[in-house]
Amino acid sequence: MLMHPDLMLTLVNERHRELVAESERAHVLRSARWARRARRSPAVRGRPTGTLASCEPSAAVPAR
């Protein structure tokens, strides 16, 4: 099947625009995930990671 050069150029340009748009969407989603993860409180060593609270207070209690 023979294609006209202008038609082939149009198809190539459309495909290129689709790839660029897909890449931009992926970049926006990645940035949104990164920003959302950065807004969460950072992990602190010693803090319980589960949903249950610890029995002891996390702050140091002065000696009596």
Side-chain angles (χ1 to χ4, degrees), residues 11-56:
L11 290 174
V12 168
N13 285 335
E14 285 179 8
R15 179 66 180 147
H16 185 260
R17 284 189 205 102
E18 289 173 3
L19 291 172
V20 169
E22 184 179 340
S23 175
E24 287 177 356
R25 275 192 302 269
H27 179 72
V28 168
L29 287 173
R30 196 176 320 116
S31 297
R33 283 189 203 110
W34 182 83
R36 189 174 180 193
R37 198 175 304 134
R39 275 194 308 244
R40 292 184 194 160
S41 62
V44 177
R45 189 174 285 211
R47 183 186 292 178
T49 56
T51 57
L52 298 176
S54 64
C55 297
E56 298 178 23

